[in-house]
Amino acid sequence: MKTPLLHERFPAHQPDAPFFLHLPLGERPTPVGRLTGLADGTAEVWIKDESGFGDLWGGNKVRKLEWVIAEALGRRSPTILTFGALGTNHGLATARFARAHGLDVALALVDQPLDEHVRLQTERLEASGATIHRTRTKRRTRLLAPWLTLRHGRFVGRRFRPAYVLPTGGSSPIGMLGYVECGLEIGAQVDAGELPEPSHVVLPVGSGGTAAGIALGLRLAGLRTRVTGVVVNDQLPLDAEQITKMANKTARLLRRRTGDFRVEGLRPEDVTMTREWLGAGYGHPTPEGERIIRDSQSIGGPELEPVYTAKALAALRDLNARGGLGDGTVLYLHTYGPR
């Protein structure tokens, strides 16, 4: 292993610690194994299952929160203010974990198509203890964000501390450290012989932070693996240029704070983003996604939901059947969160 895992380099929450703070929230490494019967084709498909990472919620959001919550605590912020749609997995994970560590949480939520998944998620959010603001549109959210930042601040001693502002999906340069770590973890599993070196990692892309972080982590691990992101959000500019720009922001943050972790800048041609399986837009199910949900249930495969994971695995199935992922090993990153 050329580069150590990030949590091994930086301390658990200590207010005077240098560089970065880390708050362990999940069990690592998450398991890898063969995935058969759902996306068979020219490449051999493996799965890295993130759904069990974290005891209060699973999926890709928790890795980001290990760094975000530690940073907010280090700043003595009273509240984390974050954003999403009505069925936000990120918002619920933030509410559960941040409140468990003494932070208040405020959520600014835009509308999305209502279905049973969203209705159930709304009930969970209302029960989480977070303060919910129904901002309804992206434009209104942008206009209200400065007011919400002050509204959810408070005096700590004699100093007023505004809310800690966390972008949609936890995809800040700090949050993306969680998936830099995941990329390094994949490298460690390849080194240990638990997984062949993948030619591709396929994952859903909602806010871009998971794809950007893992692309950087794989590069730091010395792997040649290419990230293939299945875009599920039509509200953000999630092309290859944007993903590499996000990854390089985190790379610069690592270098600036540590003087280490040097890697050549990622380029747009180093990743692939596809919108072919987006359907009508964010939160809208697709026939391919609904079909693979049923197929996975019938064989006892991974649990899928229609917004993120079903679209990503449906894309992998189609690409692999057409030979679009080569004939090596492909790793599906399973980011499912609900318990």
Side-chain angles (χ1 to χ4, degrees):
M1 186 73 193
K2 294 181 179 179
T3 304
L5 297 179
L6 295 186
H7 78 276
E8 297 170 348
R9 289 285 302 266
F10 305 121
H13 176 58
Q14 299 171 12
D16 296 325
F19 308 141
F20 297 98
L21 301 174
H22 177 253
L23 181 68
L25 298 175
E27 294 293 326
R28 52 175 55 79
T30 54
V32 293
R34 289 285 307 277
L35 180 65
T36 57
L38 289 174
D40 297 336
T42 56
E44 181 179 88
V45 180
W46 286 59
I47 180 173
K48 184 168 176 64
D49 189 355
E50 298 281 276
S51 65
F53 192 92
D55 56 351
L56 302 174
W57 193 254
N60 60 327
K61 311 306 180 186
V62 188
R63 284 191 188 264
K64 299 175 183 179
L65 290 171
E66 291 193 318
W67 303 90
V68 166
I69 293 175
E71 180 95 350
L73 289 170
R75 292 186 184 182
R76 301 182 69 193
S77 300
T79 305
I80 292 179
L81 167 66
T82 194
F83 312 91
L86 287 179
T88 174
N89 289 323
H90 157 69
L92 182 55
T94 302
R96 289 184 171 177
F97 284 98
R99 285 175 55 78
H101 289 87
L103 293 167
D104 291 334
V105 173
L107 305 174
L109 304 182
V110 302
D111 293 338
Q112 76 175 87
L114 292 174
D115 58 15
E116 188 58 31
H117 168 74
V118 173
R119 281 188 282 271
L120 178 59
Q121 191 75 330
T122 301
E123 291 175 7
R124 291 170 176 151
L125 287 165
E126 290 172 348
S128 71
T131 301
I132 297 173
H133 299 275
R134 292 283 300 274
T135 52
R136 300 199 176 276
T137 67
K138 186 177 174 182
R139 180 176 180 274
R140 288 191 72 229
T141 302
R142 283 198 302 265
L143 291 172
L144 288 169
W147 176 79
L148 290 172
T149 303
L150 296 176
R151 161 72 176 77
H152 290 285
R154 64 171 176 263
F155 281 93
V156 179
R158 295 185 177 183
R159 181 175 176 181
F160 181 79
R161 297 186 182 271
Y164 181 99
V165 178
L166 179 61
T168 302
S171 294
S172 66
I174 292 291
M176 285 185 275
L177 293 174
Y179 273 85
V180 175
E181 169 115 315
C182 186
L184 293 170
E185 187 175 291
I186 291 169
Q189 289 173 312
V190 169
D191 287 349
E194 300 171 23
L195 166 73
E197 181 174 343
S199 61
H200 298 76
V201 170
V202 177
L203 73 160
V205 178
S207 60
T210 299
I214 205 165
L216 177 58
L218 292 166
R219 178 68 66 83
L220 288 169
L223 299 184
R224 296 164 293 176
T225 307
R226 184 179 187 85
V227 170
T228 299
V230 180
V231 177
V232 302
N233 187 351
D234 57 338
Q235 301 299 310
L236 295 172
L238 295 168
D239 56 12
E241 183 175 357
Q242 177 66 13
I243 296 302
T244 52
K245 185 183 298 183
M246 293 168 70
N248 289 328
K249 280 186 180 179
T250 296
R252 289 194 295 272
L253 179 69
L254 278 166
R255 288 195 298 272
R256 187 168 66 247
R257 290 201 185 182
T258 68
D260 199 353
F261 295 97
R262 297 191 178 277
V263 63
E264 291 182 11
L266 288 164
R267 301 167 300 169
E269 52 266 36
D270 294 331
V271 300
T272 298
M273 295 292 123
T274 175
R275 302 172 73 89
E276 189 175 343
W277 289 268
L278 174 61
Y282 179 80
H284 290 271
T286 61
E288 299 87 354
E290 292 178 332
R291 188 178 308 118
I292 206 163
I293 289 173
R294 293 192 300 269
D295 291 348
S296 191
Q297 289 171 341
S298 71
I299 66 170
E303 190 168 0
L304 304 170
E305 42 66 44
V307 180
Y308 294 90
T309 51
K311 290 182 179 181
L313 195 50
L316 197 163
R317 168 189 271 181
D318 192 20
L319 286 167
N320 202 25
R322 293 192 268 126
L325 297 169
D327 57 2
T329 297
V330 172
L331 182 64
Y332 163 60
L333 188 74
H334 186 50
T335 59
Y336 186 83
R339 291 283 202 277

